[in-house]
Amino acid sequence: MRDQLRWESLCPGGLRFVYGNGQFPPGLDSFLLASLPKLKPGMRVCDLGCGVGLLGLLLLQRQGDLTVTGLDIQPEALRLGELAASENHLSGRLLFRLEDLRETALPAGSFDLAICNPPYFPPASGPLPKGAARRTARTEETCTLDDVCRVSARILRWGGALCLVHKPERLTDLLCALRRQALEPKRLQPVCSRPERAPSLVLVEGRRGGRPGLRVEPPLVLENPDGSPTAELNRIYFREEGET
């Protein structure tokens, strides 16, 4: 198995993550999502459906004084997450639990922030990805939007936030699921490859016990007219200004 592992650094001299051939490869959506929360030192974070722990590492790269707990049902993915935590000397900062998030025993009100890159597609909505790990990551076979919002509402403290990334065509489902669990949608940011193109993703933050009032932020644009990455995308990928 070891010769099949792929190690990458988030930035030069930064934290390193690892994934295997069986896991869903790291994608833009995880990097975008990790840029959404407003992080503060000492925050307690729960990554629901954490896979190999990439989101937790991205958050810790931005703010080192966090405690991130990742939940997943895939033992092999969690083994790689624990390997990365050890490699990066993050004992006590990046923790993992082998649990079905729908039945988690995490204490109520114990987190300031929940974060989730959920499955995008309902079952039977199209061809299934090959491999159990990829199906779990992309289709709602084992976890739905309602599951994520219900569990987040329980484990978040009053005023805590849930941050998610999703497809624009599921936006109504997402906002309704948040409100059903008293996680009031507070921020929404579309993601577009170019200013003239329709959004390909949306970033959304809901707040437990928040008052009604949704702030729609300017689109996060990924490419300049010449096709080069925007300054915002460079920041999200921890690149120096102007580096591609």
Side-chain angles (χ1 to χ4, degrees):
M1 177 67 187
R2 183 171 297 275
D3 60 349
Q4 298 175 347
L5 299 184
R6 303 180 186 182
W7 284 93
E8 296 186 22
S9 296
L10 297 180
C11 58
L15 299 177
R16 302 178 71 218
F17 67 97
V18 61
Y19 62 99
N21 293 335
Q23 280 77 44
F24 205 87
L28 172 65
D29 47 3
S30 293
F31 283 81
L32 295 172
L33 177 56
S35 74
L36 180 66
K38 297 179 178 178
L39 302 175
K40 297 179 181 178
M43 286 181 76
R44 302 159 298 168
V45 182
C46 186
D47 180 3
L48 296 167
C50 64
V52 298
L54 174 58
L55 267 175
L57 290 168
L58 286 165
L59 296 177
L60 285 160
Q61 184 68 54
R62 297 192 180 283
Q63 169 55 259
D65 188 11
L66 303 174
T67 302
V68 181
T69 301
L71 268 63
D72 209 289
I73 60 172
Q74 303 173 81
E76 181 57 28
L78 293 186
R79 187 185 76 80
L80 297 183
E82 290 169 347
L83 188 62
S86 175
E87 168 78 12
N88 291 290
H89 308 290
L90 289 171
S91 256
R93 291 285 183 197
L94 183 57
L95 313 169
F96 295 96
R97 294 169 65 112
L98 179 62
E99 286 186 341
D100 186 327
L101 68 85
R102 297 168 296 183
E103 302 171 358
T104 179
L106 287 170
S110 55
F111 291 92
D112 306 296
L113 171 68
I115 194 163
C116 183
N117 186 348
Y120 288 161
F121 305 107
S125 61
L128 292 175
K130 293 182 179 179
R134 292 169 184 255
R135 288 197 300 273
T136 297
R138 280 295 177 261
T139 62
E140 293 182 332
E141 288 188 329
T142 59
C143 172
T144 67
L145 272 175
D146 280 315
D147 292 329
V148 171
C149 294
R150 174 180 53 80
V151 171
S152 297
R154 189 182 71 79
I155 65 172
L156 285 170
R157 63 167 175 81
W158 191 257
L162 167 62
C163 291
L164 306 104
V165 59
H166 222 293
K167 302 294 286 182
E169 55 264 37
R170 298 290 309 277
L171 180 57
T172 300
D173 295 338
L174 174 53
L175 297 180
C176 289
L178 286 166
R179 183 166 270 184
R180 274 195 298 270
Q181 299 298 333
L183 293 166
E184 187 63 25
K186 298 299 294 181
R187 296 168 59 206
L188 187 157
Q189 187 172 33
V191 179
C192 308
S193 59
R194 300 277 184 97
E196 71 276 10
R197 294 181 182 170
S200 56
L201 293 168
V202 288
L203 302 171
V204 177
E205 179 189 289
R207 193 161 293 275
R208 185 179 176 219
R211 295 181 179 180
L214 175 64
R215 183 170 81 248
V216 180
E217 299 183 346
L220 196 167
V221 179
L222 305 180
E223 294 180 6
N224 293 311
D226 64 358
S228 63
T230 59
E232 182 66 3
L233 185 59
N234 279 331
R235 182 188 68 80
I236 287 169
Y237 272 94
F238 307 101
R239 297 170 183 151
E240 297 294 333
E241 186 174 353
E243 181 184 342
T244 58

